[in-house]
Amino acid sequence: MYGITTDSENNIWFGGWGSNRVYRYRPHRLDRADPSYFTELGNGAWTMIEYGATTGGISADLRGFIWVANNSGYIARIPQNLPDGVHPGSVAVQMNSTSFGGNMRGSGVDFDGHVWGVSHDTSTANRIELDAAGNPTGSITTVPVGTNPYTYSDFTGYGLRNFTRPQGTYSTIFT
């Protein structure tokens, strides 16, 4: 496994670095007040997507999509509401028409809902602009960063802010 995120339904998603797959675990749903809550958490359901490429970082957005970075330099979108079970790689839609560079390690969603991918090999962060439905607008911004950056899931803090119950405040610096 490589990369982990939770979606808006509290499902857990994993990238599959060595397996060329993407996985989702849907925990068994019980009321937290139920005394068997913790002992039954492991009785959930698995979903596997036969992605076909080595995956890196993985992130979720509020539109219901999972964003996966792959080692060939692409970002793919997977709907989070897939039925449990095994699915072909065709459920993942590639978002960028050209590769951002090998060893795409990071996948993140920014606070405007656009998707970022970070390439270790080209030392770039790449932003795919999305419309309100989560489709690419055709606008891609590439930003050079330090040599061989290494980041993976939720490096923007989007998932932490939107899918957990955080306490405190967030500050954002705009330049």
Side-chain angles (χ1 to χ4, degrees), residues 22-127:
V22 175
Y23 303 92
R24 178 188 68 205
Y25 179 70
R26 184 185 312 276
H28 181 66
R29 304 288 189 229
L30 286 174
D31 185 314
R32 290 179 189 228
D34 185 322
S36 63
Y37 177 74
F38 287 105
T39 59
E40 294 297 314
L41 265 177
N43 295 328
W46 284 93
T47 298
M48 180 180 69
I49 296 104
E50 296 277 3
Y51 185 64
T54 299
T55 60
I58 188 167
S59 53
D61 71 13
L62 289 171
R63 296 178 190 101
F65 293 117
I66 304 303
W67 302 92
V68 182
N70 78 45
N71 207 30
S72 299
Y74 295 94
I75 299 287
R77 179 184 73 190
I78 299 172
Q80 79 178 36
N81 63 352
L82 291 171
D84 297 334
V86 178
H87 298 276
S90 60
V91 300
V93 177
Q94 189 171 283
M95 292 289 105
N96 47 315
S97 59
T98 60
S99 174
F100 292 139
N103 286 315
M104 181 69 77
R105 300 288 171 87
S107 168
V109 179
D110 68 22
F111 288 93
D112 293 322
H114 305 297
V115 174
W116 288 79
V118 176
S119 172
H120 181 266
D121 288 0
T122 62
S123 300
T124 58
N126 307 275
R127 178 181 176 256

Side-chain angles (χ1 to χ4, degrees), residues 103-164:
N103 286 315
M104 181 69 77
R105 300 288 171 87
S107 168
V109 179
D110 68 22
F111 288 93
D112 293 322
H114 305 297
V115 174
W116 288 79
V118 176
S119 172
H120 181 266
D121 288 0
T122 62
S123 300
T124 58
N126 307 275
R127 178 181 176 256
I128 301 172
E129 186 175 306
L130 305 173
D131 64 17
N135 298 310
T137 65
S139 178
I140 294 176
T141 304
T142 298
V143 180
V145 295
T147 304
N148 304 120
Y150 192 91
T151 187
Y152 37 98
S153 303
D154 196 38
F155 59 87
T156 64
Y158 182 90
L160 181 64
R161 182 173 186 178
N162 289 291
F163 303 127
T164 64

